[in-house]
Amino acid sequence: MPKGVTKRRPRTRAALLRAALATFAAHGFHASTIEQICEAAGYTRGAFYSNFGSKDELFLALFDDHSARIVSRIAELIDAATAEEFTLQDVADALSDIEPAERDWYLVSTEFTLHAIRNPHAARALAEHDARLRAEIARGLREQLTRAGRALTVDADELARLLIAIREGGLAQSYVEPDRLPPGRLERRFLVPLLTALTTDLG
């Protein structure tokens, strides 16, 4: 493959991902067409199929991209904690951070999850990507809880599932009633007592 094409490929892929997220959020996963995504990105169908085999594959690439950004964002917030004594509150504050742009991802991911529930092949693929995200969350939890002087008394993967459920369930309510329940409020209110109950003091 020519060097120019090789260098352009990451830019093309990134542009298609950005266009796909915006298109899916505006029109829905099923209603959006590959043509709409290509038009929004400024590329042809050929460019799409040189990067993705289907809309499902495109969504899963979005999932991995979003997961990496969220994990990185949480790590940055935790690393920025300047308190002399790192606490469970620092962990909870990082996990409670919800950026405004998260709403678009919530719309897209919720619709794809419903699609996966109806489609066994999509469900298996989504479960694999979910598992990789949970593994990253579980690893980070163990590390940061140790830093806070705590150790888990439950399975880290199961706790990661619970934290994801709290985040997604809280966002569903927040986006319906944004004035009554700002995004992240439930996590800020309940994660410290939850993590306290599910950990033990290392000291």
Side-chain angles (χ1 to χ4, degrees):
M1 182 178 290
K3 290 184 178 179
V5 175
T6 302
K7 291 179 180 179
R8 286 197 300 271
R9 187 181 181 90
R11 292 198 297 271
T12 301
R13 183 181 175 86
L16 287 167
L17 288 172
R18 287 193 300 271
L21 180 59
T23 304
F24 289 158
H27 305 290
F29 176 79
H30 286 294
S32 297
T33 66
I34 290 172
E35 288 78 9
Q36 285 176 312
I37 295 167
C38 291
E39 182 179 355
Y43 288 101
T44 65
R45 284 176 62 92
F48 178 92
Y49 284 112
S50 71
N51 286 275
F52 308 104
S54 64
K55 281 201 302 181
D56 279 23
E57 186 177 318
L58 172 60
F59 169 82
L60 293 171
L62 278 171
F63 182 99
D64 290 342
D65 183 66
H66 179 265
S67 297
R69 285 189 287 105
I70 291 298
V71 169
S72 177
R73 173 66 177 164
I74 291 172
E76 288 175 1
L77 291 170
I78 287 176
D79 289 343
T82 57
E84 184 175 332
E85 182 181 356
F86 187 77
T87 67
L88 291 181
Q89 187 63 57
D90 294 310
V91 178
D93 288 345
L95 294 175
S96 303
D97 181 69
I98 308 290
E99 296 180 326
E102 188 72 8
R103 183 178 183 277
D104 282 355
W105 174 248
Y106 183 82
L107 292 172
V108 175
S109 61
T110 298
E111 186 174 1
F112 190 87
T113 299
L114 295 175
H115 165 63
I117 291 171
R118 298 185 181 99
N119 184 311
H121 177 74
R124 286 191 295 273
L126 180 57
E128 290 175 2
H129 290 255
D130 273 333
R132 289 199 289 270
L133 172 59
R134 286 199 312 277
E136 281 294 306
I137 293 173
R139 180 187 60 76
L141 271 174
R142 285 190 294 264
E143 290 179 358
Q144 300 308 326
L145 288 171
T146 298
R147 182 181 169 194
R150 310 288 296 183
L152 283 173
T153 58
V154 297
D155 181 77
D157 183 77
E158 289 188 349
L159 179 55
R161 284 185 184 272
L162 177 61
L163 293 176
I164 291 170
I166 292 171
R167 182 185 180 93
E168 293 180 351
L171 285 175
Q173 297 177 66
S174 293
Y175 293 141
V176 171
E177 300 180 276
D179 295 333
R180 297 189 61 185
L181 186 68
R185 174 176 286 181
L186 291 179
E187 291 94 323
R188 285 189 292 274
R189 172 67 179 83
F190 293 106
L191 282 188
V192 170
L194 175 65
L195 291 174
T196 300
L198 299 179
T199 60
T200 186
D201 193 337
L202 286 173

Coordinates of all heavy atoms in Angstrom, one line a residue, residues 10-48:
P10 N -5.6 6.5 9.3 CA -6.1 6.9 10.6 C -7.0 8.1 10.6 O -7.9 8.2 11.4 CB -4.8 7.1 11.4 CG -3.7 6.3 10.7 CD -4.1 6.4 9.2
R11 N -6.6 9.1 9.8 CA -7.5 10.3 9.7 C -8.8 10.0 9.1 O -9.9 10.5 9.6 CB -6.8 11.3 8.8 CG -5.5 11.9 9.4 CD -5.1 13.2 8.8 NE -4.8 13.1 7.4 CZ -3.6 12.8 6.9 NH1 -2.6 12.6 7.7 NH2 -3.4 12.6 5.6
T12 N -8.9 9.1 8.1 CA -10.1 8.7 7.5 C -11.0 8.0 8.5 O -12.2 8.3 8.7 CB -9.9 7.8 6.3 OG1 -9.1 8.5 5.3 CG2 -11.2 7.4 5.6
R13 N -10.4 7.1 9.2 CA -11.1 6.3 10.2 C -11.7 7.2 11.3 O -12.8 7.1 11.7 CB -10.2 5.2 10.8 CG -10.8 4.3 11.9 CD -9.8 3.3 12.4 NE -10.3 2.5 13.5 CZ -11.0 1.4 13.3 NH1 -11.2 0.9 12.0 NH2 -11.4 0.7 14.3
A14 N -10.8 8.1 11.8 CA -11.3 9.0 12.8 C -12.4 9.9 12.4 O -13.4 10.2 13.1 CB -10.1 9.9 13.3
A15 N -12.4 10.4 11.1 CA -13.4 11.2 10.6 C -14.7 10.4 10.5 O -15.8 10.9 10.8 CB -13.0 11.8 9.2
L16 N -14.6 9.2 10.1 CA -15.8 8.3 10.0 C -16.4 8.1 11.3 O -17.6 8.0 11.5 CB -15.5 7.0 9.3 CG -15.2 7.1 7.7 CD1 -14.6 5.8 7.2 CD2 -16.5 7.4 7.0
L17 N -15.6 7.9 12.3 CA -16.1 7.6 13.7 C -16.8 8.9 14.2 O -17.9 8.8 14.8 CB -14.9 7.3 14.6 CG -14.3 5.8 14.4 CD1 -13.1 5.7 15.3 CD2 -15.4 4.8 14.8
R18 N -16.2 10.0 14.0 CA -16.9 11.3 14.5 C -18.2 11.5 13.8 O -19.2 11.8 14.4 CB -16.0 12.5 14.2 CG -14.8 12.6 15.1 CD -14.1 14.0 15.0 NE -13.7 14.2 13.7 CZ -12.5 13.9 13.2 NH1 -11.6 13.3 14.0 NH2 -12.1 14.2 12.0
A19 N -18.2 11.2 12.5 CA -19.5 11.4 11.7 C -20.5 10.4 12.1 O -21.7 10.7 12.2 CB -19.2 11.3 10.2
A20 N -20.1 9.2 12.4 CA -21.0 8.1 12.8 C -21.7 8.4 14.1 O -22.9 8.3 14.3 CB -20.3 6.8 12.9
L21 N -20.9 8.9 15.1 CA -21.5 9.2 16.4 C -22.5 10.3 16.2 O -23.6 10.2 16.8 CB -20.3 9.7 17.3 CG -20.8 10.0 18.8 CD1 -21.5 8.9 19.4 CD2 -19.6 10.5 19.6
A22 N -22.2 11.4 15.5 CA -23.1 12.5 15.3 C -24.4 12.0 14.6 O -25.5 12.4 14.9 CB -22.4 13.6 14.6
T23 N -24.2 11.2 13.5 CA -25.3 10.7 12.7 C -26.2 9.8 13.5 O -27.4 9.9 13.5 CB -24.8 10.0 11.4 OG1 -23.9 10.9 10.7 CG2 -25.9 9.6 10.6
F24 N -25.6 8.8 14.2 CA -26.4 7.9 15.0 C -27.1 8.7 16.1 O -28.3 8.3 16.4 CB -25.4 6.9 15.7 CG -24.8 5.9 14.8 CD1 -23.7 5.2 15.2 CD2 -25.4 5.6 13.6 CE1 -23.1 4.2 14.3 CE2 -24.9 4.6 12.7 CZ -23.7 3.9 13.1
A25 N -26.5 9.6 16.8 CA -27.2 10.4 17.8 C -28.3 11.2 17.3 O -29.4 11.3 18.0 CB -26.2 11.3 18.5
A26 N -28.2 11.7 16.1 CA -29.2 12.6 15.5 C -30.4 11.8 14.9 O -31.6 12.1 15.1 CB -28.6 13.5 14.4
H27 N -30.1 10.6 14.3 CA -31.1 9.9 13.5 C -31.4 8.5 14.1 O -32.4 7.9 13.7 CB -30.7 9.8 12.1 CG -30.4 11.1 11.4 ND1 -31.4 12.0 11.1 CD2 -29.2 11.6 11.0 CE1 -30.8 13.1 10.6 NE2 -29.5 12.9 10.5
G28 N -30.5 8.0 15.0 CA -30.7 6.6 15.5 C -29.8 5.7 14.7 O -29.5 5.9 13.5
F29 N -29.4 4.6 15.4 CA -28.5 3.6 14.8 C -29.2 3.0 13.5 O -28.5 2.9 12.5 CB -28.2 2.6 15.8 CG -27.3 1.4 15.3 CD1 -26.0 1.6 15.1 CD2 -27.9 0.2 14.9 CE1 -25.2 0.6 14.5 CE2 -27.1 -0.8 14.4 CZ -25.7 -0.6 14.2
H30 N -30.4 2.5 13.7 CA -31.0 1.8 12.6 C -31.4 2.7 11.4 O -31.3 2.3 10.3 CB -32.3 1.0 13.1 CG -32.0 -0.2 13.9 ND1 -31.3 -1.3 13.3 CD2 -32.1 -0.5 15.2 CE1 -31.2 -2.2 14.2 NE2 -31.6 -1.7 15.4
A31 N -31.9 3.9 11.7 CA -32.3 4.8 10.7 C -31.1 5.4 9.9 O -31.3 5.8 8.8 CB -33.1 5.9 11.3
S32 N -30.0 5.5 10.5 CA -28.8 6.1 9.9 C -28.3 5.1 8.8 O -28.2 3.9 9.0 CB -27.7 6.4 10.9 OG -28.1 7.3 11.8
T33 N -27.9 5.7 7.7 CA -27.3 4.9 6.6 C -25.8 5.1 6.4 O -25.3 6.2 6.9 CB -28.0 5.3 5.2 OG1 -27.7 6.6 4.9 CG2 -29.5 5.2 5.3
I34 N -25.2 4.2 5.8 CA -23.8 4.3 5.5 C -23.5 5.6 4.7 O -22.5 6.3 4.8 CB -23.2 3.0 4.9 CG1 -23.2 1.9 5.9 CG2 -21.8 3.3 4.4 CD1 -22.9 0.6 5.4
E35 N -24.5 5.8 3.7 CA -24.3 7.0 2.8 C -24.3 8.3 3.7 O -23.6 9.2 3.4 CB -25.4 7.0 1.8 CG -25.3 5.9 0.7 CD -25.8 4.6 1.2 OE1 -26.3 4.4 2.3 OE2 -25.5 3.6 0.4
Q36 N -25.2 8.4 4.6 CA -25.3 9.6 5.5 C -24.0 9.8 6.3 O -23.5 10.9 6.4 CB -26.4 9.4 6.5 CG -27.8 9.6 5.9 CD -28.9 9.4 7.0 OE1 -28.9 8.4 7.7 NE2 -29.8 10.3 7.1
I37 N -23.4 8.7 6.8 CA -22.2 8.8 7.5 C -21.0 9.2 6.6 O -20.2 10.1 7.0 CB -21.9 7.4 8.2 CG1 -23.0 7.1 9.2 CG2 -20.5 7.4 8.8 CD1 -22.9 5.7 9.8
C38 N -21.0 8.6 5.4 CA -19.9 9.0 4.5 C -20.0 10.4 4.1 O -19.0 11.1 4.0 CB -20.0 8.1 3.3 SG -19.5 6.4 3.6
E39 N -21.3 10.9 3.8 CA -21.5 12.3 3.4 C -21.0 13.2 4.5 O -20.3 14.2 4.3 CB -22.9 12.5 3.1 CG -23.2 13.9 2.6 CD -24.7 14.1 2.2 OE1 -25.4 13.2 2.2 OE2 -25.0 15.3 1.9
A40 N -21.4 12.9 5.8 CA -21.0 13.7 6.9 C -19.5 13.8 7.1 O -19.0 14.8 7.5 CB -21.7 13.3 8.2
A41 N -18.9 12.7 6.8 CA -17.4 12.6 7.0 C -16.6 13.1 5.8 O -15.4 13.4 5.9 CB -17.0 11.1 7.3
G42 N -17.3 13.2 4.6 CA -16.7 13.7 3.4 C -15.9 12.6 2.7 O -14.9 12.9 2.0
Y43 N -16.4 11.4 2.9 CA -15.7 10.2 2.2 C -16.7 9.4 1.4 O -17.9 9.6 1.5 CB -15.0 9.4 3.2 CG -13.7 10.0 3.8 CD1 -13.8 10.6 5.1 CD2 -12.5 10.1 3.1 CE1 -12.7 11.2 5.6 CE2 -11.4 10.7 3.7 CZ -11.5 11.2 4.9 OH -10.4 11.8 5.5
T44 N -16.2 8.5 0.6 CA -17.0 7.6 -0.2 C -17.3 6.3 0.6 O -16.7 6.0 1.6 CB -16.3 7.2 -1.5 OG1 -15.1 6.5 -1.2 CG2 -15.9 8.5 -2.2
R45 N -18.3 5.5 0.0 CA -18.6 4.2 0.5 C -17.3 3.3 0.5 O -17.1 2.5 1.4 CB -19.7 3.6 -0.3 CG -21.1 4.1 0.0 CD -22.1 3.5 -0.9 NE -22.2 2.0 -0.7 CZ -23.0 1.4 0.2 NH1 -23.9 2.2 0.9 NH2 -23.1 0.1 0.3
G46 N -16.5 3.5 -0.5 CA -15.3 2.8 -0.6 C -14.4 3.0 0.6 O -13.8 2.1 1.2
A47 N -14.3 4.2 1.1 CA -13.5 4.6 2.2 C -14.1 3.9 3.5 O -13.4 3.4 4.4 CB -13.4 6.1 2.4
F48 N -15.4 3.9 3.5 CA -16.1 3.3 4.7 C -15.7 1.8 4.7 O -15.3 1.3 5.8 CB -17.6 3.4 4.6 CG -18.3 2.7 5.7 CD1 -18.7 3.4 6.8 CD2 -18.7 1.4 5.6 CE1 -19.3 2.8 7.9 CE2 -19.4 0.7 6.6 CZ -19.7 1.4 7.8

